[in-house]
Amino acid sequence: MPVKEEDFSEWYNEILQTAEIMDVRYPVKGLYVWFPFGFAIRRYVYDLLRSLLDRDHEEALFPLLIPKSEFMKEAEHIKGFENEVYWVTKGGANELDVPLVLRPTSETAIYPIFKLWIRSHADLPIKIYQIVNTFRYETKHTRPLIRLREITSFKEAHTAHTTWEEAEKQVKDAIKLYKEFFTRLGIPHLITRRPEWDKFPGARYTIAFDTLMPDGRTLQIGTIHNLGENFARTFEIRYEDPEGEQRYVNQTCYGISERCIAALISVHGDDKGLVLPPEVAPVQVVIVPIIFSDERREEVLDAARSLFEELKEEGLRVVLDDSDERPGAKYYKWEHKGVPLRVEIGPRDLDEGVYTLARRDGEPKYRVRREDILDEIRDAFSDLGMCILKKAEDVFRMRIMTCTTLEDVEKATKKGVSRIYWCGKPDCAHEIEERFDLSLLGVSEEEKDRGACIICGSEDSRVSYLARTF
Amino acid sequence: MPVKEEDFSEWYNEILQTAEIMDVRYPVKGLYVWFPFGFAIRRYVYDLLRSLLDRDHEEALFPLLIPKSEFMKEAEHIKGFENEVYWVTKGGANELDVPLVLRPTSETAIYPIFKLWIRSHADLPIKIYQIVNTFRYETKHTRPLIRLREITSFKEAHTAHTTWEEAEKQVKDAIKLYKEFFTRLGIPHLITRRPEWDKFPGARYTIAFDTLMPDGRTLQIGTIHNLGENFARTFEIRYEDPEGEQRYVNQTCYGISERCIAALISVHGDDKGLVLPPEVAPVQVVIVPIIFSDERREEVLDAARSLFEELKEEGLRVVLDDSDERPGAKYYKWEHKGVPLRVEIGPRDLDEGVYTLARRDGEPKYRVRREDILDEIRDAFSDLGMCILKKAEDVFRMRIMTCTTLEDVEKATKKGVSRIYWCGKPDCAHEIEERFDLSLLGVSEEEKDRGACIICGSEDSRVSYLARTF
């Protein structure tokens, strides 16, 4: 395999095919096929996301096709999308009376219905989500899981509240939820408030999650928007307050796409292949019987089968690889697929009443007593999850450089992200963006310290981040 | 509510809105919105379907958009769909070079990839499925969950095999799987081989599952197709057999859509609302505290809360309705939503150490000891599932009439389905179809007895079914 840090693009393309994540041979640009193994990762990742959302959201489903008339209502929103939507213009041999847009995101499909669902303050808050395919007519270079014409797995949440303050609180709750999600995937992230010129069309402001890819570029992996009353005014979404007054709702929306899986693969993978946190690994444990002689073959296989049944019974996702390949070939294959834990069982292990465990994260192999194996596996899972996260965070931190001068920024761009102070003025941002061909991700949501703007020197400027972006 | 048997159409439309299954107010014909409650039913029904498929299929995901060039390859297949597909012709402001079809079903998206995945007999069989949205430009009257422009929940399975015999066996396995699925939903069904003129375009033959709706019309709820080598020849899907010969694969495909949920609602519902089998009910148990006086209010509520926690802990989907409404209003509300079991807890129950159970299927209320409640609930679930199925089967059988004369058929059409003998000749079928404005569903797959054709009198004719269809 190509070395991830040296030629990330090659490494990424190769692993998608060899680990059977995405097949890129579909005959339309920007559309890809999920292999069953890739789709299994997708299933566990989105099951996790669902389980977090289900705590206080409800899942619903709205149509893919949006009539032009609804789509064109919110001026700022259209401007953001009009050059990148697909149009359905024909049904059978007939021209459609009203052309239909394939949703690029669902505000204009959902909010006419919110108008019907919301009557009184007692109907609020509403918090729904859906997991759907959305479409962008990308003219840029497309890339599997990252820049797509069909985003197959867009989780979009939409909420409505009585007041601005309630919507603000929802933004904070959504940040917390996304932090938990990405932390459980072991994906380090920056949380920034996007500058005005880079916010979601129609939003009051946008909070974004970015992670850092092995080539030093950042990837936006989640966004949260406070829409204020913007869409409510366009779609006339009003409620009656306790005093009988008609008021506009305040709304938020927030989304995560299969970019979370692109990040999962890219952040953790190594030159042997995928590295997956146990929680989302399609195969969590592989059992490899080590057979030297025909004599003890059945004995070893029986022990392997019995462990397989026991682990399956416990709800673990386990594979017994009793194929005719050599153990080395099996190790290679399952390591490539990111299986967190391997159990090796040979005749000597049986004699000594111990089995050998090998972790995907490269810790030395170790032997555990047969009767302790289930506890040991669970311990290993929990430790693996933490080690994967810690390793990713170490790499992440190493690639973020605090810069106080333009020379610092020049050096930093080769490695990753520049942490600067920025006064908030567009001119200062654009100057530094253009000088180094970088993007200002935005102002940190979490860091409260202040300093001098790297361009104009204004004191009391906020922590901000600059990066090359995907 | 309208009476289901007397005005099914009204009853159906009303229950979809009042039980919050589908919102029909989306501003495009044939497109509907899943309410969260409806979507929860969808989730449990499709979780069941997934669990059955996962035994020996793998889930994958293919693109929605099919290039015209691939779509137009299989002549017979196109003919079946060309007047009912949506065309995407524009991206942004540009005309697309190659127009794209919104999949009406995915053969022409999947099989070019099967060509790449299949090389050798060792790659076979392949058994994959996906759950996706598909599209038909319906010009007929549309109806939520039944006749749609966006089918939101199409489960389509596609398999490839070395031989015709293997494909035949797969058809039998798929029939078995669908039988288990519909039986667990309590939905009675006929399984027939569709006549030649009604098979899937491109298939060698089609097996269909039909259920009977309350208005006496049948609804097709599942189809299974043996494609033979038809698509393999078009898409050049070949494998090398053990002797080194290149051979075409034999394929099958089979699908189920959200019509299964239309059937679930329509077959079991009554004049109080939904009736749901416990396995797929979003709420399986509702607890209603019965409070007469403030004096014992907290005591009753505590008992209700403690039971709620206990049932939740056990993994049951339970709601505690401690709102201020009167018990009668609560009963009405949750019965309408099809909750299988209600637990009532009042002061007298506490004194006597018993709780009252009420089943949604109309069995008399009964009281059970506090300490037995979990077992009693589980017993009630299992019995409810069986009773719902049995009741549905009784109604189903009553509406199928064995007809030996045309007068019998005339009588039968008013009530439901005619069971006849048919010689297999198209002329005989068309004569009776036209005379009574009925459709021949096809020849029974399960009944082996023979008799005289109802039209031409040929002996040794097979059992067949005639019905008005949706």
Side-chain angles (χ1 to χ4, degrees):
Chain A
M1 285 196 70
V3 176
K4 186 174 87 167
E5 274 72 22
E6 288 171 17
D7 193 349
F8 170 65
S9 197
E10 279 298 306
W11 179 91
Y12 184 72
N13 289 337
E14 186 165 322
I15 204 167
L16 289 182
Q17 196 77 28
T18 56
E20 298 191 322
I21 312 284
M22 303 296 295
D23 198 319
V24 301
R25 295 171 290 177
Y26 192 76
V28 182
K29 171 185 154 88
L31 304 183
Y32 307 97
V33 174
W34 286 91
F35 278 111
F37 186 79
F39 198 79
I41 298 176
R42 191 262 197 194
R43 188 192 277 196
Y44 296 115
V45 168
Y46 279 75
D47 279 354
L48 169 60
L49 187 52
R50 265 201 177 92
S51 74
L52 300 180
L53 286 159
D54 285 345
R55 290 174 185 163
D56 65 346
H57 297 66
E58 291 186 300
E59 190 171 1
L61 187 60
F62 290 77
L64 166 67
L65 302 171
I66 302 171
K68 186 175 183 180
S69 44
E70 296 295 333
F71 185 71
M72 298 307 265
K73 273 187 181 164
E74 224 288 334
E76 202 182 332
H77 190 65
I78 308 155
K79 258 189 292 166
F81 286 108
E82 65 187 344
N83 288 321
E84 48 181 67
V85 291
Y86 280 108
W87 290 98
V88 179
T89 60
K90 276 176 65 182
N94 306 328
E95 289 291 321
L96 299 180
D97 294 337
V98 179
L100 302 166
V101 169
L102 301 190
R103 62 182 160 221
T105 166
S106 301
E107 287 72 18
T108 56
I110 295 177
Y111 300 164
I113 303 299
F114 270 13
K115 177 186 159 70
L116 303 170
W117 288 359
I118 297 166
R119 286 275 165 270
S120 137
H121 63 96
D123 298 325
L124 298 171
I126 283 183
K127 301 183 194 178
I128 60 123
Y129 74 95
Q130 60 179 6
I131 297 174
V132 295
N133 49 353
T134 65
F135 293 82
R136 304 276 165 101
Y137 178 64
E138 280 291 350
T139 47
K140 289 191 215 164
H141 183 65
T142 54
R143 198 184 287 268
L145 301 174
I146 291 178
R147 179 164 281 116
L148 303 162
R149 287 187 161 183
E150 179 178 11
I151 296 149
T152 66
S153 313
F154 190 51
K155 186 288 298 168
E156 50 179 329
H158 296 267
T159 72
H161 308 268
T162 50
T163 62
W164 170 257
E165 289 70 30
E166 288 289 312
E168 284 286 88
K169 185 177 170 303
Q170 187 60 35
V171 167
K172 290 205 165 45
D173 288 350
I175 292 174
K176 215 171 134 201
L177 192 154
Y178 281 12
K179 274 174 82 158
E180 179 171 355
F181 175 66
F182 288 116
T183 302
R184 282 170 71 171
L185 297 181
I187 299 173
H189 46 266
L190 294 168
I191 308 174
T192 60
R193 185 173 297 225
R194 285 277 183 267
E196 274 298 302
W197 58 88
D198 203 20
K199 69 182 187 186
F200 180 70
R204 292 282 296 274
Y205 64 84
T206 290
I207 306 289
F209 281 61
D210 295 280
T211 193
L212 190 56
M213 297 294 261
D215 63 353
R217 284 192 286 176
T218 57
L219 182 71
Q220 175 178 298
I221 48 175
T223 50
I224 300 165
H225 317 290
N226 190 333
L227 307 176
E229 297 180 354
N230 290 356
F231 284 89
R233 287 178 185 273
T234 303
F235 290 96
E236 298 177 309
I237 313 174
R238 277 184 288 247
Y239 69 97
E240 192 176 278
D241 77 6
E243 285 72 46
E245 291 284 316
Q246 289 289 316
R247 297 190 181 282
Y248 288 111
V249 298
N250 276 266
Q251 293 177 268
T252 81
C253 64
Y254 31 103
I256 281 178
S257 76
E258 57 249 61
R259 281 187 166 194
C260 63
I261 292 169
L264 185 72
I265 293 167
S266 308
V267 167
H268 304 314
D270 61 21
D271 54 2
K272 289 181 181 170
L274 297 177
V275 176
L276 296 173
E279 188 167 10
V280 296
V283 180
Q284 297 172 310
V285 181
V286 58
I287 302 170
V288 179
I290 314 287
I291 294 162
F292 297 104
S293 63
D294 274 354
E295 201 180 329
R296 301 193 64 184
R297 181 189 181 82
E298 276 313 305
E299 191 189 345
V300 170
L301 280 175
D302 278 348
R305 281 186 209 115
S306 134
L307 179 64
F308 171 76
E309 292 300 333
E310 185 182 334
L311 299 185
K312 214 172 109 177
E313 193 69 26
E314 285 293 319
L316 299 185
R317 299 188 288 269
V318 55
V319 163
L320 165 60
D321 188 348
D322 56 2
S323 67
D324 289 335
E325 282 175 292
R326 293 154 40 92
K330 293 180 186 179
Y331 298 172
Y332 180 85
K333 169 182 170 181
W334 296 107
E335 281 174 351
H336 195 66
K337 293 231 172 189
V339 177
L341 213 54
R342 181 175 72 234
V343 185
E344 302 167 9
I345 306 178
R348 205 189 71 178
D349 296 310
L350 291 188
D351 293 341
E352 297 173 15
V354 295
Y355 292 164
T356 301
L357 291 189
R359 286 167 49 146
R360 179 61 181 88
D361 62 348
E363 290 294 306
K365 286 190 194 185
Y366 57 109
R367 303 179 82 200
V368 303
R369 291 193 311 178
R370 173 68 184 87
E371 59 269 32
D372 299 335
I373 191 143
L374 197 62
D375 288 341
E376 292 281 354
I377 288 175
R378 293 204 191 282
D379 286 352
F381 278 0
S382 132
D383 193 58
L384 260 163
M386 282 187 299
C387 288
I388 288 173
L389 172 64
K390 190 180 170 307
K391 190 175 163 198
E393 279 179 342
D394 288 346
V395 171
F396 187 68
R397 264 194 301 268
M398 256 179 43
R399 295 196 141 186
I400 298 175
M401 279 137 292
T402 296
C403 301
T404 52
T405 65
L406 295 181
E407 292 69 43
D408 288 347
V409 173
E410 183 157 23
K411 275 184 234 157
T413 50
K414 295 192 188 105
K415 266 177 79 180
V417 175
S418 302
R419 179 181 182 277
I420 60 167
Y421 295 105
W422 171 52
C423 61
K425 287 200 290 286
D427 282 354
C428 286
H430 296 325
E431 186 176 330
I432 194 162
E433 284 184 328
E434 275 156 36
R435 166 137 24 170
F436 299 106
D437 195 21
L438 296 175
S439 298
L440 184 83
L441 299 181
V443 175
S444 174
E445 271 291 294
E446 303 193 289
E447 292 159 278
K448 298 299 169 202
D449 56 308
R450 308 263 174 157
C453 174
I454 193 165
I455 297 292
C456 70
S458 303
E459 289 302 323
D460 212 33
S461 293
R462 302 276 308 268
V463 176
S464 304
Y465 290 94
L466 274 169
R468 285 180 300 128
T469 60
F470 256 91
Chain B
M1 288 197 69
V3 177
K4 186 174 87 166
E5 275 72 21
E6 287 172 16
D7 194 350
F8 170 66
S9 198
E10 280 298 306
W11 178 91
Y12 184 73
N13 289 339
E14 186 164 323
I15 203 166
L16 290 182
Q17 197 76 29
T18 55
E20 298 190 322
I21 312 284
M22 304 297 295
D23 197 321
V24 301
R25 294 171 292 176
Y26 192 77
V28 183
K29 170 186 155 86
L31 304 183
Y32 307 97
V33 174
W34 286 91
F35 279 110
F37 186 79
F39 199 78
I41 299 176
R42 192 264 198 192
R43 188 191 278 197
Y44 296 114
V45 168
Y46 279 75
D47 279 354
L48 169 60
L49 186 52
R50 264 199 179 93
S51 75
L52 299 180
L53 286 160
D54 285 345
R55 290 175 186 162
D56 66 345
H57 297 66
E58 292 186 299
E59 190 170 2
L61 187 60
F62 290 77
L64 167 66
L65 301 172
I66 302 170
K68 186 174 181 180
S69 44
E70 295 295 333
F71 185 71
M72 297 306 264
K73 273 187 182 164
E74 223 289 334
E76 202 184 330
H77 190 64
I78 310 156
K79 257 189 293 165
F81 286 107
E82 66 186 343
N83 288 320
E84 47 180 67
V85 291
Y86 279 108
W87 290 99
V88 180
T89 60
K90 276 175 67 183
N94 306 327
E95 289 290 321
L96 300 180
D97 294 337
V98 179
L100 301 165
V101 170
L102 301 190
R103 62 183 160 220
T105 166
S106 300
E107 287 71 19
T108 56
I110 295 177
Y111 299 165
I113 303 298
F114 270 12
K115 176 187 161 73
L116 303 170
W117 288 358
I118 297 167
R119 285 275 163 271
S120 136
H121 63 95
D123 299 325
L124 298 172
I126 283 183
K127 300 182 194 180
I128 59 122
Y129 75 95
Q130 60 178 6
I131 297 174
V132 295
N133 48 354
T134 64
F135 293 82
R136 305 275 166 99
Y137 179 64
E138 280 291 350
T139 48
K140 291 190 214 164
H141 183 64
T142 54
R143 197 183 287 268
L145 302 174
I146 292 178
R147 179 163 284 116
L148 304 161
R149 286 185 163 184
E150 179 179 11
I151 295 148
T152 66
S153 313
F154 190 50
K155 186 288 297 168
E156 49 179 329
H158 296 267
T159 72
H161 309 267
T162 49
T163 62
W164 170 257
E165 289 69 30
E166 288 289 311
E168 284 287 90
K169 184 177 171 304
Q170 188 60 34
V171 167
K172 290 205 164 43
D173 287 351
I175 292 174
K176 216 171 134 201
L177 192 154
Y178 280 12
K179 275 174 81 158
E180 179 172 354
F181 176 65
F182 287 117
T183 302
R184 282 169 71 171
L185 297 180
I187 299 174
H189 46 265
L190 293 169
I191 308 174
T192 59
R193 184 173 298 225
R194 285 276 184 267
E196 273 299 302
W197 58 89
D198 204 20
K199 68 182 186 186
F200 180 70
R204 292 282 297 273
Y205 65 83
T206 291
I207 307 289
F209 281 61
D210 296 280
T211 193
L212 190 55
M213 298 294 260
D215 64 354
R217 283 193 285 176
T218 57
L219 182 71
Q220 175 178 301
I221 48 176
T223 50
I224 299 165
H225 316 290
N226 191 332
L227 307 176
E229 298 180 355
N230 290 356
F231 284 89
R233 287 177 185 272
T234 304
F235 289 95
E236 298 176 311
I237 313 173
R238 276 185 288 247
Y239 69 97
E240 190 176 280
D241 76 7
E243 283 72 46
E245 290 283 318
Q246 290 288 317
R247 297 189 183 282
Y248 289 111
V249 298
N250 275 266
Q251 293 177 268
T252 80
C253 64
Y254 32 104
I256 281 178
S257 76
E258 57 250 60
R259 282 189 165 193
C260 63
I261 292 169
L264 185 73
I265 293 167
S266 307
V267 167
H268 304 313
D270 62 22
D271 54 3
K272 290 180 179 169
L274 297 176
V275 176
L276 296 173
E279 187 166 11
V280 296
V283 180
Q284 297 172 310
V285 180
V286 59
I287 302 169
V288 179
I290 314 287
I291 294 161
F292 297 105
S293 63
D294 274 354
E295 199 180 329
R296 304 193 63 185
R297 182 188 180 82
E298 276 313 306
E299 188 188 347
V300 169
L301 279 176
D302 278 348
R305 281 186 210 114
S306 133
L307 180 63
F308 171 76
E309 291 300 335
E310 184 182 333
L311 298 185
K312 215 172 110 176
E313 192 70 25
E314 286 292 321
L316 299 184
R317 301 189 287 269
V318 55
V319 162
L320 165 59
D321 188 347
D322 55 2
S323 68
D324 290 336
E325 282 176 292
R326 293 155 38 93
K330 294 180 186 178
Y331 298 172
Y332 179 87
K333 171 182 170 182
W334 295 108
E335 282 174 351
H336 195 66
K337 293 233 174 191
V339 177
L341 212 54
R342 180 174 73 233
V343 185
E344 303 167 9
I345 306 178
R348 204 190 72 178
D349 295 310
L350 292 188
D351 293 340
E352 297 174 14
V354 295
Y355 292 165
T356 300
L357 291 188
R359 286 167 51 146
R360 178 63 181 87
D361 63 347
E363 290 295 305
K365 286 190 196 184
Y366 57 110
R367 302 178 82 199
V368 303
R369 291 192 312 177
R370 172 69 184 86
E371 59 269 33
D372 299 335
I373 192 144
L374 196 63
D375 288 341
E376 292 281 354
I377 287 175
R378 294 205 191 281
D379 287 351
F381 278 0
S382 132
D383 194 58
L384 260 162
M386 281 187 299
C387 288
I388 287 173
L389 173 63
K390 190 180 169 305
K391 190 175 163 199
E393 279 179 341
D394 288 347
V395 171
F396 188 68
R397 263 194 301 270
M398 255 178 44
R399 293 195 143 189
I400 298 175
M401 278 136 294
T402 296
C403 301
T404 53
T405 65
L406 296 180
E407 292 70 43
D408 289 347
V409 173
E410 182 155 24
K411 275 183 232 156
T413 51
K414 295 190 186 106
K415 266 175 78 179
V417 176
S418 302
R419 179 181 181 276
I420 59 166
Y421 294 105
W422 171 51
C423 60
K425 287 200 291 285
D427 282 354
C428 286
H430 296 326
E431 186 177 330
I432 196 163
E433 284 184 327
E434 275 156 37
R435 165 136 27 169
F436 299 106
D437 194 21
L438 296 175
S439 298
L440 184 83
L441 299 180
V443 175
S444 174
E445 272 291 294
E446 303 193 290
E447 293 159 279
K448 297 301 169 202
D449 55 307
R450 308 261 173 157
C453 173
I454 194 166
I455 296 293
C456 70
S458 302
E459 289 303 323
D460 212 32
S461 293
R462 301 277 308 268
V463 175
S464 304
Y465 290 94
L466 274 171
R468 284 180 301 129
T469 59
F470 255 90

